[in-house]
Amino acid sequence: MIVAGIDAGSRTIKIVLWDGFRGAMVGAGIADQGVEQDALAGALLDRLLGETGRARSDLGRVVATGYGRNIMSMADSTVTEITCHAVGVGHVLPGARTVIDIGGQDSKLIRLDGDGGVRDFAMNDRCAAGSGRFLEVIAARLGVELSALGALARRSERPAAISSMCVVFAETEIIGLLASRTPPADLAAGVQASMANRVVAMAGRHLDPPIVFTGGVALVPGMSDALATALGHPLQVAPDPRMTGALGAALIAAGHRDPVPARVAPASPW
Amino acid sequence: MNGLASITLEQWDRRYEELRAAGLREPEYGGPLRRHVEDGDRRLLRLRFDPSPAALRLWNFLLTEEDRLRKARRDGKKLVGVMKDLGTTALMTHCVPELVAFYPDGAWWIPCVMEMRAGLFSIADSLGINDSFCPVRAMLGAFVTGAHFPIPDMLVCSAGATCDDFSAIAQRLEGLGHAILWWEIPHRRKPESGEGRVELPGGFVAPAEQVAVVRAELDRVREGLQSLAGSRLDDARLAAGIRKANQARGLLADLRRQAFTAARCPMPALEMLVAEMLAIHFCSDFDESLRVLSDLHEEVSARVLSGKGTLPADAVRVYWVNPVADLQVMNLLESCGGRVCGTEYLFSHALDPIPEDLGPMEALARMALADPMVGPASDRAERICRDAVGFGAEAVLVSRIPGASHCALEGEAIAEGVRRLGLPVAEIEVPSLSDACRPRLVTRLGGLIETALRRRGS
């Protein structure tokens, strides 16, 4: 039986198709998020099913996660991305004790117990300065693509000190630094370090290794190095880190890991 | 069938008609909840309520306080706005028959209940009290419009080791021409060696000297009240008031015990929050608040006895810290699979019995000094941890109040204490209208519930 995990995030929708009998992923894809989230997810799901020669009628349980999870009409149940990232990481990197997930809209720090279950978590979802959006804004201000920000940062000889904890004020600060001829490379490196420090500050205390980095920001070159520096500890980027939440949702759908009864996290809390 | 579902306002319309047809008897402030929406309390349209007549009475009592205050004034009584102090000066005021106390601070819920339509925050903004302050700044707007409560004949406000935001807001209010009788409360500390020590309600201790300071300050408040009323507030009146307050606290303590420890949650978190608030302000009618609490207590006792509840029996037991600016979030926890099994809404001292074996002013001074906000955050965290264990909590939720200066310091201290207990803890921040941030609130609440459920299963 094929099951699906849908991660309806703020910037993209990710779907993983999982073959419960074979215990293997049979499809995965990403689509940009938009206004019609449910329709976009449905189209992506149909495309992935089509690519594997299947239709909706072949699909078993569907679990949705992410900020848009409660509007996914095809979902049988919903689970928070906190649990899904823990389950996803537990599958791809068993033994991990900490997950740092940085997505487009928020960042999360998830502490795991010895069995890979969530022991505790902290989130920054009130300020863009700890999210992928921060990097997007700054990359645009520096006139480079987000994907090129890491390469630019690597050329830095003296990372700039970005003191603002707010993306709006940080952008203003960068305008001032550019005006004072601070090299863009130093700004890029300074921004990555600033963001990493913000995420690490969320932990508030020691983090247990192994530490795994998930979420779209993990793909931004230089971010894992910046985080490792801020942590004072190496960390590992999860394989295909954007898909970790969707993978966790698919595994829960398949019953591989069922950390919560299905009645929890209703399709709509209202 | 052991289920009793909470209902929407629309369902309450029908339920009210059924109850009326079945002979429902109501106090003079009774009536359908719908009329409050017509008066502007639009948030009620989005809440879920307990379906009992006792809950109806509770809501009607809460939402008709302004009518009671205006009637009291017409009847020749003097109105006293007791600000920031939670539970002490309100009690003192109610002991004087010529006076009625109320909490202007309660205006902090007006932006929520009226869904911002009263414009109180805009008025506060224009007076320089912007959103870097706690939502209690709405009170400033309410004083300016005079539309939500009559302007009191006297204002009393505590200062010192209380909320910085409130002090600033009250100072601004005084600057607008509203005279305030300030009384100071010192930061509670542990006695040093050689200092006289006094046991306070709630298990705290303080230097005898601090208790004496608070007592002297409350004596000044007593004089002010006597002067306003033109009658004496003697110890006999105070002692009678303390006995009555203890009656309310006793009822509430048993209500909490039953509601928080029953196998099935017998009363939704929202109604329990409103009931707990009665312990500090009595909703401007001391005697009626006792009757309202008695009704609710009777309802809860009957439900516990028959095993009836408003939530699934396996709802996750969550201990809740701090009141929420948006009442709807109490519903939200329950829709995410949780139930409230203990609370600390910043006035745990007002739920403890006031000592009756002491002189009344001494007893009140000790109670005031036991306020969780006037001591170190570690004291508060300690009490929260003790209560969370006592009530069998599976998780703790710390609800931050936007702009509130104390929240920034307390949250982590409380969370650290809870983690040492091995319980999962999450922090949320709840603005007056949480609609726009509901997804993130649901994620945090859901994450907490899922974590607690997994722990239960492992």
Side-chain angles (χ1 to χ4, degrees):
Chain A
M1 176 62 77
I2 301 297
V3 297
I6 303 174
D7 181 356
S10 63
R11 312 289 295 168
T12 54
I13 300 164
K14 287 80 66 175
I15 295 181
V16 164
L17 297 181
W18 185 265
D19 185 330
F21 291 126
R22 289 169 47 213
M25 187 160 68
V26 292
I30 296 182
D32 283 343
Q33 188 58 279
V35 176
E36 300 294 333
Q37 297 188 35
D38 193 31
L40 289 167
L44 176 60
L45 181 63
D46 288 336
R47 177 168 71 76
L48 292 174
L49 285 167
E51 284 170 6
T52 59
R54 295 178 175 90
R56 292 267 188 121
S57 54
D58 299 316
L59 197 57
R61 198 174 166 211
V62 177
V63 169
T65 188
Y67 274 86
R69 65 186 179 277
N70 287 320
I71 51 173
M72 295 293 111
S73 60
M74 67 290 273
D76 297 301
S77 62
T78 61
V79 178
T80 67
E81 50 272 43
I82 296 157
T83 297
C84 287
H85 275 265
V87 171
V89 165
H91 181 78
V92 294
L93 294 166
R97 297 302 295 266
T98 302
V99 179
I100 293 174
D101 166 45
I102 308 181
Q105 184 168 277
D106 68 17
S107 47
K108 303 180 192 72
L109 198 143
I110 307 165
R111 294 186 178 86
L112 306 178
D113 59 25
D115 298 328
V118 178
R119 182 161 56 92
D120 195 11
F121 64 91
M123 289 177 69
N124 166 29
D125 52 13
R126 288 183 300 151
C127 169
S131 71
R133 181 70 188 141
F134 183 52
L135 295 180
E136 282 181 348
V137 168
I138 300 305
R141 175 56 63 186
L142 295 178
V144 297
E145 292 291 321
L146 181 58
S147 57
L149 195 68
L152 180 63
R154 270 198 212 100
R155 296 204 296 271
S156 169
E157 291 177 0
R158 199 171 62 176
I162 309 294
S163 58
S164 286
M165 285 286 113
C166 161
V167 65
V168 177
F169 289 123
E171 190 180 7
T172 307
E173 204 169 318
I174 282 162
I175 292 168
L177 289 167
L178 281 171
S180 63
R181 300 184 184 283
T182 303
D186 289 349
L187 289 173
V191 162
Q192 289 196 334
S194 164
M195 184 170 166
N197 285 327
R198 186 168 180 79
V199 171
V200 171
M202 187 168 54
R205 61 199 173 107
H206 176 72
L207 293 178
D208 292 330
I211 302 168
V212 179
F213 189 10
T214 68
V217 172
L219 290 174
V220 176
M223 266 316 297
S224 62
D225 291 342
L227 265 176
T229 302
L231 285 165
H233 201 283
L235 77 168
Q236 189 171 353
V237 175
D240 204 351
R242 290 176 301 178
M243 303 305 293
T244 313
L247 174 63
L251 290 167
I252 292 169
H256 280 231
R257 295 289 297 268
D258 205 354
V260 287
R263 66 161 187 79
V264 175
S268 167
W270 300 107
Chain B
M1 178 64 184
N2 293 322
L4 267 173
S6 58
I7 58 176
T8 62
L9 191 77
E10 198 171 71
Q11 290 168 315
W12 244 121
D13 292 341
R14 292 192 292 277
R15 170 96 176 123
Y16 184 75
E17 291 311 318
E18 289 164 9
L19 288 170
R20 289 271 294 177
L24 174 71
R25 294 178 62 183
E26 293 185 276
E28 61 177 11
Y29 56 81
L33 286 178
R34 171 74 58 178
R35 72 204 154 109
H36 303 297
V37 177
E38 285 151 16
D39 290 343
D41 296 345
R42 297 184 55 80
R43 200 58 169 172
L44 303 188
L45 292 166
R46 309 261 294 163
L47 300 179
R48 295 190 71 88
F49 306 88
D50 183 81
S52 65
L56 174 69
R57 184 176 189 167
L58 176 74
W59 280 105
N60 276 329
F61 185 50
L62 176 76
L63 297 171
T64 54
E65 185 175 18
E66 186 188 348
D67 301 342
R68 259 188 310 285
L69 289 170
R70 296 199 188 277
K71 180 175 183 306
R73 173 159 284 168
R74 284 197 303 276
D75 292 346
K77 295 200 174 188
K78 297 274 176 51
L79 307 183
V80 181
V82 286
M83 303 192 298
K84 189 57 212 87
D85 142 62
L86 299 171
T88 310
T89 53
L91 169 54
M92 290 172 69
T93 307
H94 281 304
C95 292
V96 187
E98 295 85 359
L99 304 180
V100 172
F102 78 102
Y103 264 99
D105 323 24
W108 91 303
W109 266 315
I110 294 173
C112 163
V113 174
M114 298 189 74
E115 294 193 331
M116 302 289 188
R117 284 173 168 78
L120 302 188
F121 284 156
S122 303
I123 296 170
D125 285 344
S126 71
L127 294 168
I129 303 291
N130 61 18
D131 60 3
S132 64
F133 291 85
C134 156
V136 79
R137 69 197 177 97
M139 180 189 75
L140 207 51
F143 269 96
V144 170
T145 64
H148 304 283
F149 49 73
I151 301 302
D153 300 290
M154 178 179 176
L155 284 171
V156 178
C157 186
S158 65
T162 57
C163 170
D164 292 345
D165 299 272
F166 200 91
S167 291
I169 294 164
Q171 284 169 40
R172 189 71 182 90
L173 181 63
E174 191 168 45
L176 295 176
H178 297 276
I180 294 174
L181 170 59
W182 297 93
W183 64 282
E184 187 168 348
I185 190 151
H187 179 73
R188 186 181 65 240
R189 61 174 174 82
K190 288 189 168 56
E192 291 170 3
S193 67
E195 258 190 321
R197 50 191 284 131
V198 174
E199 300 275 341
L200 305 178
F204 301 123
V205 288
E209 187 187 3
Q210 284 198 327
V211 178
V213 166
V214 176
R215 187 176 161 171
E217 287 295 283
L218 290 177
D219 271 331
R220 285 200 306 110
V221 174
R222 170 152 77 166
E223 283 163 22
L225 295 173
Q226 289 179 150
S227 170
L228 177 70
S231 76
R232 275 184 56 73
L233 175 53
D234 57 23
D235 280 2
R237 277 182 170 176
L238 281 169
I242 287 173
R243 279 195 297 278
K244 208 190 286 185
N246 278 342
Q247 213 182 324
R249 292 174 186 213
L251 265 175
L252 200 52
D254 198 56
L255 181 63
R256 279 164 49 92
R257 183 189 61 77
Q258 294 199 64
F260 296 157
T261 61
R264 289 180 70 97
C265 177
M267 186 57 62
L270 184 51
E271 277 76 12
M272 286 300 294
L273 166 69
V274 176
E276 287 198 34
M277 292 288 168
L278 289 188
I280 54 171
H281 57 57
F282 313 112
C283 228
S284 308
D285 188 334
F286 208 158
D287 293 319
E288 183 62 15
S289 66
L290 274 172
R291 287 189 282 272
V292 170
L293 283 175
S294 295
D295 264 16
L296 208 61
H297 182 262
E298 200 177 309
E299 179 70 30
V300 165
S301 300
R303 288 181 185 178
V304 172
L305 209 59
S306 60
K308 285 186 176 167
T310 54
L311 295 169
D314 58 350
V316 169
R317 305 171 59 80
V318 176
Y319 187 97
W320 193 294
V321 180
N322 293 336
V324 283
D326 184 353
L327 298 168
Q328 199 179 28
V329 176
M330 303 310 292
N331 288 161
L332 188 59
L333 173 78
E334 294 174 345
S335 67
C336 286
R339 65 175 275 194
V340 167
C341 79
T343 55
E344 210 294 278
Y345 289 140
L346 288 165
F347 54 82
S348 50
H349 68 302
L351 304 178
D352 294 323
I354 308 167
E356 291 186 35
D357 55 348
L358 301 168
M361 291 303 286
E362 173 72 13
L364 290 172
R366 290 189 189 188
M367 185 192 71
L369 200 52
D371 184 328
M373 285 189 77
V374 309
S378 56
D379 276 5
R380 187 166 182 234
E382 200 177 295
R383 177 162 186 168
I384 285 165
C385 290
R386 198 171 61 226
D387 284 357
V389 170
F391 282 124
E394 296 174 281
V396 174
L397 187 74
V398 181
S399 173
R400 291 163 60 106
I401 302 165
S405 51
H406 55 91
C407 284
L409 304 169
E410 290 172 335
E412 193 49 36
I414 295 166
E416 274 302 311
V418 172
R419 285 191 195 107
R420 279 196 293 273
L421 297 174
L423 293 177
V425 56
E427 270 195 87
I428 57 172
E429 183 168 285
V430 180
S432 299
L433 285 184
S434 65
D435 304 48
C437 59
R438 187 163 306 135
R440 71 187 195 212
L441 288 174
V442 170
T443 295
R444 288 184 186 227
L445 293 173
L448 187 68
I449 300 290
E450 288 169 6
T451 303
L453 277 173
R454 187 184 176 278
R455 282 168 48 86
R456 190 190 278 178
S458 63

